[in-house]
Coordinates of all heavy atoms in Angstrom, one line a residue:
G156 N -25.7 -28.8 42.1 CA -24.3 -28.6 42.6 C -23.7 -27.3 42.2 O -22.8 -26.8 42.8
C157 N -24.3 -26.7 41.1 CA -23.8 -25.4 40.7 C -24.2 -24.3 41.6 O -23.5 -23.2 41.7 CB -24.3 -25.1 39.3 SG -23.8 -26.3 38.0
L158 N -25.3 -24.4 42.3 CA -25.8 -23.3 43.2 C -24.9 -23.0 44.3 O -25.0 -21.9 44.9 CB -27.2 -23.7 43.7 CG -28.3 -23.9 42.6 CD1 -29.6 -24.2 43.3 CD2 -28.5 -22.6 41.8
E159 N -24.1 -23.9 44.7 CA -23.1 -23.6 45.8 C -22.3 -22.4 45.5 O -21.9 -21.7 46.4 CB -22.3 -24.9 46.1 CG -21.4 -24.7 47.3 CD -20.6 -26.0 47.7 OE1 -21.0 -27.1 47.1 OE2 -19.7 -25.9 48.4
C160 N -21.9 -22.3 44.3 CA -21.0 -21.2 43.9 C -21.7 -20.1 43.2 O -21.2 -19.0 43.1 CB -19.8 -21.7 43.0 SG -18.8 -23.0 43.7
H161 N -22.8 -20.4 42.5 CA -23.5 -19.4 41.7 C -24.9 -18.9 42.2 O -25.5 -18.2 41.4 CB -23.6 -19.9 40.3 CG -22.3 -20.2 39.6 ND1 -21.5 -19.2 39.1 CD2 -21.6 -21.4 39.4 CE1 -20.4 -19.7 38.6 NE2 -20.5 -21.1 38.8
A162 N -25.3 -19.4 43.3 CA -26.6 -19.0 43.8 C -26.7 -17.5 44.1 O -27.7 -16.9 43.8 CB -27.0 -19.8 45.0
H163 N -25.6 -16.9 44.5 CA -25.6 -15.5 44.8 C -25.7 -14.7 43.6 O -26.1 -13.5 43.7 CB -24.2 -15.2 45.5 CG -23.1 -15.2 44.6 ND1 -22.5 -16.4 44.2 CD2 -22.4 -14.1 44.0 CE1 -21.5 -16.1 43.4 NE2 -21.4 -14.7 43.3
Q164 N -25.6 -15.2 42.4 CA -25.8 -14.5 41.1 C -27.2 -14.5 40.7 O -27.6 -14.0 39.6 CB -24.9 -15.1 40.0 CG -23.4 -14.9 40.3 CD -22.6 -15.5 39.2 OE1 -22.2 -16.7 39.2 NE2 -22.3 -14.7 38.2
G165 N -28.1 -15.3 41.4 CA -29.5 -15.3 41.0 C -29.9 -16.4 40.1 O -31.0 -16.5 39.6
Y166 N -29.0 -17.4 39.9 CA -29.3 -18.5 39.0 C -30.1 -19.5 39.7 O -30.0 -19.7 41.0 CB -28.0 -19.2 38.5 CG -27.3 -18.4 37.4 CD1 -26.1 -17.7 37.8 CD2 -27.8 -18.3 36.2 CE1 -25.4 -17.0 36.8 CE2 -27.1 -17.5 35.2 CZ -26.0 -16.9 35.5 OH -25.3 -16.2 34.6
E167 N -31.0 -20.2 39.0 CA -31.8 -21.3 39.5 C -31.5 -22.6 38.7 O -31.0 -22.5 37.5 CB -33.3 -20.9 39.4 CG -33.6 -19.8 40.3 CD -35.2 -19.5 40.2 OE1 -35.8 -20.2 39.5 OE2 -35.6 -18.6 40.9
V168 N -31.9 -23.7 39.2 CA -31.7 -25.0 38.5 C -32.4 -25.0 37.2 O -33.6 -24.6 37.1 CB -32.2 -26.2 39.4 CG1 -32.1 -27.5 38.6 CG2 -31.4 -26.3 40.6
G169 N -31.7 -25.3 36.1 CA -32.3 -25.4 34.8 C -31.9 -24.2 33.9 O -32.1 -24.2 32.7
D170 N -31.4 -23.1 34.6 CA -31.0 -21.9 33.8 C -29.8 -22.2 32.9 O -29.0 -23.0 33.2 CB -30.7 -20.7 34.7 CG -32.0 -20.2 35.4 OD1 -33.1 -20.5 35.0 OD2 -31.8 -19.4 36.4
I171 N -29.7 -21.4 31.8 CA -28.5 -21.5 31.0 C -27.4 -20.6 31.6 O -27.5 -19.4 31.6 CB -28.8 -21.0 29.5 CG1 -29.9 -21.9 28.9 CG2 -27.5 -21.1 28.7 CD1 -29.5 -23.4 28.8
R172 N -26.3 -21.3 32.1 CA -25.3 -20.5 32.7 C -24.3 -20.0 31.7 O -23.6 -19.0 31.8 CB -24.6 -21.4 33.7 CG -23.3 -20.7 34.4 CD -23.7 -19.5 35.2 NE -22.5 -18.8 35.6 CZ -21.9 -17.8 35.0 NH1 -22.3 -17.4 33.9 NH2 -20.8 -17.3 35.6
G173 N -24.1 -20.8 30.6 CA -23.1 -20.5 29.6 C -23.0 -21.6 28.6 O -24.0 -22.3 28.3
G174 N -21.8 -21.9 28.2 CA -21.6 -23.0 27.3 C -20.1 -23.4 27.2 O -19.2 -22.7 27.6
V175 N -19.9 -24.6 26.7 CA -18.6 -25.2 26.5 C -18.4 -25.4 25.1 O -19.2 -26.0 24.4 CB -18.4 -26.5 27.3 CG1 -17.0 -27.1 27.0 CG2 -18.5 -26.3 28.8
S176 N -17.3 -24.8 24.5 CA -17.0 -24.9 23.0 C -15.8 -25.7 22.8 O -14.9 -25.7 23.7 CB -16.9 -23.5 22.4 OG -15.7 -22.9 22.8
V177 N -15.8 -26.4 21.7 CA -14.7 -27.3 21.3 C -14.3 -26.9 19.8 O -15.2 -26.8 19.0 CB -15.0 -28.8 21.4 CG1 -13.8 -29.6 20.9 CG2 -15.3 -29.1 22.8
A178 N -13.1 -26.7 19.5 CA -12.6 -26.4 18.1 C -11.6 -27.4 17.7 O -10.5 -27.6 18.3 CB -12.0 -25.0 18.0
V179 N -11.9 -28.2 16.6 CA -11.1 -29.3 16.1 C -10.4 -28.7 14.8 O -11.1 -28.4 13.8 CB -11.9 -30.5 15.8 CG1 -10.9 -31.6 15.2 CG2 -12.5 -31.1 17.0
P180 N -9.0 -28.7 14.7 CA -8.3 -28.3 13.5 C -8.7 -29.3 12.3 O -8.7 -30.5 12.5 CB -6.9 -28.4 13.8 CG -6.8 -28.4 15.3 CD -8.1 -29.1 15.8
L181 N -9.0 -28.7 11.2 CA -9.4 -29.5 10.0 C -8.2 -29.7 9.0 O -8.5 -30.4 8.0 CB -10.6 -28.8 9.3 CG -11.9 -28.8 10.0 CD1 -12.9 -28.0 9.2 CD2 -12.4 -30.2 10.3
T182 N -7.1 -29.1 9.2 CA -6.0 -29.1 8.2 C -5.6 -30.6 7.8 O -5.6 -30.9 6.7 CB -4.8 -28.4 8.7 OG1 -5.1 -27.0 9.0 CG2 -3.7 -28.4 7.7
D183 N -5.4 -31.4 8.9 CA -5.0 -32.8 8.6 C -6.1 -33.6 7.9 O -5.9 -34.3 7.0 CB -4.6 -33.5 9.9 CG -3.3 -33.0 10.4 OD1 -2.6 -32.3 9.6 OD2 -3.0 -33.2 11.6
Y184 N -7.4 -33.3 8.3 CA -8.5 -34.0 7.7 C -8.6 -33.6 6.2 O -8.8 -34.5 5.4 CB -9.8 -33.6 8.5 CG -10.0 -34.3 9.8 CD1 -9.8 -33.6 11.0 CD2 -10.4 -35.6 9.9 CE1 -9.9 -34.2 12.2 CE2 -10.6 -36.2 11.1 CZ -10.3 -35.5 12.3 OH -10.5 -36.1 13.5
L185 N -8.5 -32.3 6.0 CA -8.7 -31.9 4.6 C -7.6 -32.3 3.7 O -7.8 -32.6 2.5 CB -8.8 -30.3 4.5 CG -10.0 -29.7 5.3 CD1 -9.9 -28.2 5.3 CD2 -11.3 -30.2 4.6
E186 N -6.3 -32.4 4.2 CA -5.2 -32.9 3.4 C -5.5 -34.4 3.1 O -5.2 -34.8 1.9 CB -3.9 -32.8 4.2 CG -2.7 -33.3 3.5 CD -2.5 -32.6 2.1 OE1 -2.9 -31.4 2.0 OE2 -1.9 -33.2 1.2
R187 N -5.9 -35.2 4.0 CA -6.2 -36.6 3.8 C -7.3 -36.8 2.7 O -7.3 -37.6 1.8 CB -6.5 -37.4 5.0 CG -6.7 -38.8 4.9 CD -6.6 -39.6 6.2 NE -7.5 -39.1 7.2 CZ -7.1 -38.4 8.3 NH1 -5.9 -38.1 8.5 NH2 -8.0 -38.0 9.2
E188 N -8.3 -35.9 2.9 CA -9.5 -35.9 1.9 C -9.0 -35.6 0.5 O -9.4 -36.2 -0.5 CB -10.5 -34.9 2.3 CG -11.7 -34.7 1.3 CD -12.5 -33.5 1.6 OE1 -12.7 -33.2 2.8 OE2 -13.0 -32.9 0.7
R189 N -8.1 -34.6 0.4 CA -7.6 -34.2 -0.9 C -6.7 -35.3 -1.6 O -6.8 -35.6 -2.8 CB -6.7 -32.9 -0.8 CG -7.5 -31.7 -0.7 CD -6.6 -30.4 -0.9 NE -5.7 -30.2 0.3 CZ -6.0 -29.5 1.4 NH1 -7.2 -29.0 1.4 NH2 -5.1 -29.4 2.3
Q190 N -6.0 -36.0 -0.8 CA -5.2 -37.2 -1.3 C -6.1 -38.2 -1.9 O -5.9 -38.7 -3.0 CB -4.2 -37.7 -0.2 CG -3.2 -36.7 0.2 CD -2.4 -37.3 1.4 OE1 -2.7 -38.4 1.9 NE2 -1.3 -36.5 1.8
I191 N -7.1 -38.6 -1.1 CA -8.0 -39.7 -1.5 C -8.8 -39.3 -2.8 O -8.9 -40.0 -3.7 CB -8.9 -40.1 -0.4 CG1 -8.1 -40.7 0.8 CG2 -10.0 -41.1 -0.8 CD1 -9.0 -40.9 2.0
A192 N -9.3 -38.0 -2.7 CA -10.0 -37.5 -3.8 C -9.2 -37.4 -5.1 O -9.7 -37.8 -6.2 CB -10.6 -36.1 -3.5
G193 N -7.9 -37.1 -5.0 CA -7.1 -37.0 -6.2 C -6.9 -38.3 -6.8 O -6.9 -38.5 -8.1
V194 N -6.6 -39.4 -6.0 CA -6.4 -40.7 -6.5 C -7.7 -41.2 -7.2 O -7.6 -41.8 -8.3 CB -6.0 -41.7 -5.4 CG1 -6.0 -43.1 -5.9 CG2 -4.6 -41.3 -4.9
T195 N -8.8 -41.0 -6.6 CA -10.1 -41.5 -7.1 C -10.4 -40.8 -8.4 O -10.8 -41.5 -9.4 CB -11.2 -41.2 -6.1 OG1 -10.9 -41.9 -4.9 CG2 -12.5 -41.8 -6.6
V196 N -10.3 -39.5 -8.4 CA -10.6 -38.7 -9.7 C -9.7 -39.1 -10.8 O -10.1 -39.2 -12.0 CB -10.6 -37.2 -9.4 CG1 -10.8 -36.4 -10.7 CG2 -11.7 -36.8 -8.5
S197 N -8.4 -39.3 -10.5 CA -7.4 -39.7 -11.5 C -7.8 -41.1 -12.1 O -7.8 -41.3 -13.3 CB -6.0 -39.8 -10.9 OG -5.6 -38.5 -10.5
A198 N -8.2 -42.0 -11.3 CA -8.6 -43.3 -11.8 C -9.8 -43.2 -12.7 O -9.9 -43.8 -13.7 CB -8.9 -44.3 -10.6
F199 N -10.8 -42.4 -12.2 CA -12.0 -42.3 -13.0 C -11.7 -41.6 -14.3 O -12.3 -42.0 -15.4 CB -13.1 -41.4 -12.2 CG -13.8 -42.1 -11.2 CD1 -14.6 -41.5 -10.3 CD2 -13.5 -43.5 -10.9 CE1 -15.3 -42.1 -9.3 CE2 -14.2 -44.2 -9.9 CZ -15.1 -43.5 -9.1
A200 N -10.8 -40.6 -14.3 CA -10.5 -39.9 -15.6 C -9.8 -40.9 -16.6 O -10.1 -40.8 -17.8 CB -9.6 -38.7 -15.3
G201 N -8.9 -41.8 -16.0 CA -8.3 -42.7 -17.0 C -9.3 -43.7 -17.6 O -9.3 -43.9 -18.8

């Protein structure tokens, strides 16, 4: 299906045309991790 638009560029089926990237923000994940780690380490320290 890709050749309809990209055949004129010389691509063939199976070639690597490029890639799709995804970036997930980690700020909320890391904050939740710090909260849980703080409670756990405090309990262990006691």
Side-chain angles (χ1 to χ4, degrees):
C157 300
L158 296 179
E159 182 176 350
C160 299
H161 297 285
H163 71 286
Q164 295 178 270
Y166 286 106
E167 297 181 358
V168 174
D170 290 346
I171 301 297
R172 174 64 185 93
V175 177
S176 69
V177 177
V179 178
L181 292 178
T182 302
D183 291 342
Y184 286 101
L185 295 176
E186 179 60 26
R187 185 160 56 250
E188 176 192 327
R189 282 192 290 271
Q190 293 174 356
I191 296 173
V194 172
T195 303
V196 171
S197 298
F199 283 177

